[in-house]
Amino acid sequence: MAEGSDDIQALIAQMARLPGLGPRSARRLVLHLIRKRSGQMIQLARLLENVAQGSRECLTCGNITDRDECAICADPARATGELCVVEDVADLWALERGRAFRGRYHVLGGTLSALDEIGPEDLGIPGLVDRIARDRVTEVILALNATVDGQTTAHYIAEALAGSGVAVTGLAQGVPIGGELDYLDDGTISAALRARRRL
Amino acid sequence: MAEGSDDIQALIAQMARLPGLGPRSARRLVLHLIRKRSGQMIQLARLLENVAQGSRECLTCGNITDRDECAICADPARATGELCVVEDVADLWALERGRAFRGRYHVLGGTLSALDEIGPEDLGIPGLVDRIARDRVTEVILALNATVDGQTTAHYIAEALAGSGVAVTGLAQGVPIGGELDYLDDGTISAALRARRRL
Ligand SMILES: [Zn+2]
Ligand SMILES: [Zn+2]
């Protein structure tokens, strides 16, 4: 046993399985933490335990929360009639960091995928259509990734809402702020060109 | 609050402080863990808690262990008379992974440094000299990093042991200038150890 104790070896193995880490970075992290074992490491353990025990999905929108309903769904000021549909919670967090959207969300938890046999029911799209009618939503913003599966999903939802009187919109495609043309893929450049606007 | 709950935000902040991580990778890790909250996340929390509570430094050599004396110091088969001096526990782990060394270790916990005002007492070098006499060590292998401070420390220890009758050796071939042991592959470390030379 090279690394101290069975628990230390098990901890390194667990850390090494995390996305973006590997055996070497796991070993370095664990040694760093052991050096700070009475402070940072205990705190991290307690926070992980608390979050693991206390987190659940918001029953209304699918956001991660520590209650039945997340802070956004519980906030009456966010009943703007705008509903932003995202693939996963990471996207919801990214939009909230942008502070530009003041309505509510719906987290699909994935995209339609023929290959992975993920259909509309798996993503709760019938429930989403019900929610849109029930909550008097006036605009659905499909903030899905610009991938094939993301766009397939956006089209499916747009069709499901056709004739409902709800406006269905999507994020504008174009050059990101600070983005250099030379580094963008061709699809992005073409889309930005097609959507060009008068200055 | 963009990210779910106060605990989730605190967890992301703690993770972002770890070496090699930042806010983005911390968010990704936390979301990944929350998705696996009833399995992997709970396990990780418990292991961190156990290791934080159970780890200490071996009273004899400074290795990380969960007992007063580490498994290497407690193993009579490793009383070979060879003592390998390393800067920190990461280096000891790296040498153990190489499986070429069957003696015991001494972890300095750093190197001599005029700049940082780290002197021989701070590294317990007088205690090391005592240990070498007490434990009937016949060869001291100075497996220190090939940095200026590492080599200064090696020379200091070699001088402190001059006239004691103990052979003092150092890792020879395979350690690149400026290289740190923890970053070397196992084969290089083994080769350097086998080719150690008298200083
Ligand atoms: Zn919600
Ligand atoms: Zn020991």
Side-chain angles (χ1 to χ4, degrees), chain B residues 170-191:
Chain B
L171 297 184
Q173 293 168 341
V175 183
I177 302 299
E180 297 191 16
L181 291 191
D182 194 28
Y183 285 87
L184 292 180
D185 65 292
D186 300 347
T188 304
I189 289 182
S190 307

Side-chain angles (χ1 to χ4, degrees), chain A residues 2-5 7 14 24 27-28 31 37 40 43 46 48-50 53 55 64 66 90 93 97, chain B residues 2-5 7 14 27 31 37 40 43 46 48-50 55 64 66 90 93 97 182-183:
Chain A
E3 284 99 7
S5 73
D7 275 345
Q14 275 283 350
R24 157 162 295 165
R27 280 195 301 264
R28 289 170 54 81
L31 261 184
R37 57 187 175 273
Q40 212 181 341
Q43 253 181 296
R46 304 270 156 90
L48 279 165
E49 175 98 30
N50 289 353
Q53 302 283 8
S55 297
I64 294 291
D66 52 2
W93 287 3
R97 285 198 302 278
Chain B
E3 284 100 8
S5 74
D7 274 346
Q14 275 283 352
R27 281 196 299 266
L31 261 184
R37 58 187 174 273
Q40 212 181 342
Q43 253 181 295
R46 304 269 157 89
L48 279 166
E49 176 97 28
N50 288 353
S55 297
I64 295 292
D66 53 2
W93 287 3
R97 286 197 301 278
D182 194 28
Y183 285 87

Side-chain angles (χ1 to χ4, degrees), chain A residues 28-46:
Chain A
R28 289 170 54 81
L29 279 178
V30 168
L31 261 184
H32 169 89
L33 285 167
I34 289 175
R35 281 189 206 105
K36 315 208 165 224
R37 57 187 175 273
S38 56
Q40 212 181 341
M41 192 177 197
I42 282 280
Q43 253 181 296
L44 187 60
R46 304 270 156 90

